[in-house]
Amino acid sequence: MINTTTVLGIASIFVAFALFMASFYMALKKRKREAIILGATAFVFMTVIPVSLALFGAVPNPS
C-alpha cells in the first residue's frame, strides 16, 4: 500500500514539473527574473523535499 510519505513525494515532483514548465514559459516571454525564481523553486520541489521525505519519513525507526 502507498503511504503518505510516498504520496507527498509524488505530489512534490508533480508540482516541480509544473513549475519547470512555468519557468520555461516565462523564459520564452523574456521575463528573466520570474523564470529564475520559478526555476529555483522547482529545483527545491524536485530535490530537497523528496530527499527530505525519503530520509526522515520513509526510513524505519532504528530503535
Side-chain angles (χ1 to χ4, degrees), residues 5 47-62:
T5 307
T47 58
V48 176
I49 294 174
V51 169
S52 299
L53 287 171
L55 289 177
F56 300 114
V59 176
N61 192 359

Side-chain angles (χ1 to χ4, degrees), residues 12 15-20 23 37-47:
S12 174
V15 169
F17 179 71
L19 287 169
F20 275 126
S23 175
I37 291 170
L38 287 169
T41 306
F43 181 78
V44 169
F45 273 88
M46 185 66 77
T47 58

Side-chain angles (χ1 to χ4, degrees), residues 3-4 7 14-15 23-24 27 30 34 38 41 47 51:
N3 59 13
T4 307
V7 172
F14 178 75
V15 169
S23 175
F24 178 72
K30 306 281 192 252
E34 289 89 352
L38 287 169
T41 306
T47 58
V51 169

